[in-house]
């Protein structure tokens, strides 16, 4: 099932794209052929990384690029807010590789994802 979801017209936005780990992962994804169409880092809108445009908000990235998948490379305390922002922007597939997400935040995130059919 996951392959079917990923195989569909995916357009990936990377939240936290300017962080050190996200920079290297973005370069690897692009080399592998992942359709990374946007990055988001508040305050860095208008810049580019590896040829990928950076936006201040997920909403702006979605409107400009049609992104429909988000990968969140944000610090654990910011995961819930970042995921909420992505869902508010209409993204339904989120990949969250962050370690150490507070348990209560993970529980809230799971409930929100179910409520929003993500």
């Amino acid at each position: 099932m996951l392959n079917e979801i990923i195989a569909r017209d995916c357009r990936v936005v990377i939240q936290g794209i300017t962080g050190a780990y996200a920079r290297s992962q973005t370069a690897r994804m692009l080399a592998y052929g992942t359709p990374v169409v946007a990055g988001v880092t508040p305050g860095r809108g208008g810049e580019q990384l590896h040829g990928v445009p950076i936006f201040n908000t997920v909403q702006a990235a979605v409107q400009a690029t049609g992104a429909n998948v988000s990968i969140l490379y944000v610090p654990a305390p910011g995961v819930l807010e970042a995921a909420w922002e992505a869902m508010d922007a209409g993204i339904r597939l989120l990949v969250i590789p962050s370690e150490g997400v507070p348990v209560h935040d993970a529980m809230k995130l799971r409930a929100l994802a179910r409520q929003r059919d993500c």
Side-chain angles (χ1 to χ4, degrees), residues 22 26 35 50 54 74 112:
T26 300
H50 306 304
I54 300 175
V74 299
L112 181 62

Side-chain angles (χ1 to χ4, degrees), residues 12-15 58 68-72 86 91 93-96:
V12 178
V13 59
I14 307 291
Q15 289 179 254
V58 177
N68 58 5
V69 175
S70 182
I71 302 176
L72 287 73
I91 294 186
L93 178 59
L94 289 83
V95 178
I96 307 173

Side-chain angles (χ1 to χ4, degrees), residues 13-23 25-26 29 39-42 55-58 70-86 94-102 105 109:
V13 59
I14 307 291
Q15 289 179 254
I17 194 169
T18 57
Y21 187 69
R23 284 174 181 264
Q25 291 301 308
T26 300
M29 285 185 266
V40 173
T41 298
F55 297 86
N56 289 318
T57 66
V58 177
S70 182
I71 302 176
L72 287 73
Y73 289 113
V74 299
V79 165
L80 180 61
E81 183 179 346
W84 196 302
E85 180 184 2
L94 289 83
V95 178
I96 307 173
S98 302
E99 295 180 349
V101 176
D105 286 359
L109 178 54

